[in-house]
Amino acid sequence: MTPLVIAHRGDSAHRPENTKVAFVSALEVGAELVEFDVQLTRDGEPVVLHDAAVDRTTDGHGRLADLTLREVRALSAGYPARFGSAYAGEKVPTLAEVLALLRGRARALIEIKAESVGADGRDGVEAITVAAVRKAGVEDGAALISFDHRALLRCRELAPEIVRGHLFLRAAVGEALALSREAGCEIVLPEKGMLSDEMRERAREAGLKLATWVVDDEAELPGLARFELYGIGTNRPGPMLEALRETA
């Protein structure tokens, strides 16, 4: 089977990650799934940013949780450390903006960052994210993914109709699959170093789709073929799609 290409934070090798220009570029090269991160500002607004702080990818400083939406939107999200001033006009997008951009064009894999997961699940990032997905009308075109098990359990309760996926950096095969099933996930997403024949077989037996991340070198694809992956997360969706077409 040919895995789907998941544009990790958009076309993030060539455009500033988690920005609209990165997502547009991912669509232009043909990505069918686009992954991005959601966190909350100080005033509880969901925005698309990976780090807990804005320092790395914007021209600002400080923790996202300490900044209001207005303060965050005043920053340039052009990732100046990597791209200089080429994308200085890019802003940190809201979740609503990204969902509107992708609607009907690609499936959204929304990573709920552990940094925004709090003690209150009823009014927390999970509920706010689910509400945004429903308001955008993309329940069938989105999946909620996270490393945080609590977040996925809450998503299962809040929105059982929206697909869920469990991310893992390091975990035993049995633990990863058990936690994924407990959260009612359809997809399990271990980091590529976790992949094994045992993971493939047991995921299949559990009825879970197997995806992995981050694969940026086309030379890795032949070695990954035996895992029968549903999807591959990459910062280079264009070259990866081309490589998969050539080997199909």
Side-chain angles (χ1 to χ4, degrees):
M1 62 182 290
T2 300
L4 296 171
V5 168
I6 304 167
H8 183 246
R9 308 179 203 168
D11 188 10
S12 55
H14 306 109
R15 304 287 187 273
E17 65 178 60
N18 278 331
T19 61
K20 287 194 282 187
V21 70
F23 300 136
V24 168
S25 184
L27 294 173
E28 288 174 345
V29 299
E32 297 178 64
L33 294 92
V34 177
E35 184 269 354
F36 56 89
D37 309 281
V38 64
Q39 300 193 66
L40 300 181
T41 61
R42 190 179 76 194
D43 44 350
E45 295 294 334
V47 296
V48 174
L49 189 80
H50 177 270
D51 296 359
V54 300
D55 300 55
R56 180 174 64 88
T57 58
T58 81
D59 61 355
H61 302 284
R63 295 174 65 249
L64 177 66
D66 295 332
L67 301 172
T68 66
L69 177 62
R70 183 175 180 179
E71 290 169 331
V72 172
R73 296 285 279 180
L75 304 175
S76 167
Y79 204 162
R82 281 194 60 194
F83 297 98
S85 61
Y87 299 98
E90 286 298 307
K91 302 297 181 184
V92 174
T94 65
L95 175 57
E97 287 175 338
V98 177
L99 293 177
L101 175 65
L102 298 179
R103 182 178 179 178
R105 303 171 73 186
R107 188 166 189 174
L109 269 64
I110 308 167
E111 182 182 343
I112 296 175
K113 299 300 290 183
E115 291 85 351
S116 281
V117 176
D120 183 7
R122 186 170 298 276
D123 298 312
V125 64
E126 303 90 347
I128 290 170
T129 300
V130 165
V133 169
R134 287 176 170 158
K135 185 175 182 179
V138 294
E139 296 95 324
D140 292 337
L144 303 171
I145 64 175
S146 188
F147 287 97
D148 194 296
H149 190 61
R150 290 178 304 164
L152 292 169
L153 290 173
R154 291 169 181 171
C155 288
R156 181 180 189 178
E157 180 179 353
L158 289 163
E161 77 280 11
I162 301 176
V163 169
R164 292 169 298 284
H166 212 314
L167 288 157
F168 293 96
L169 179 59
R170 292 289 179 269
V173 171
E175 177 189 13
L177 298 180
L179 289 172
S180 298
R181 294 189 69 184
E182 183 183 5
C185 293
E186 182 177 311
I187 312 167
V188 58
L189 300 105
E191 192 272 334
K192 63 186 179 184
M194 282 181 60
L195 292 173
S196 65
D197 293 336
E198 180 189 6
M199 172 69 82
R200 177 197 65 210
E201 293 304 315
R202 293 184 63 179
R204 181 193 296 156
E205 291 168 2
L208 290 164
K209 296 175 181 177
L210 183 61
T212 198
W213 51 277
V214 168
V215 180
D216 282 344
D217 185 352
E218 298 93 318
E220 294 182 76
L221 292 174
L224 294 171
R226 77 174 196 270
F227 299 120
E228 301 172 5
L229 295 167
Y230 165 72
I232 292 177
T234 179
N235 299 314
R236 303 175 64 243
M240 204 61 60
L241 282 161
E242 183 62 30
L244 287 169
R245 281 193 290 265
E246 290 176 357
T247 59

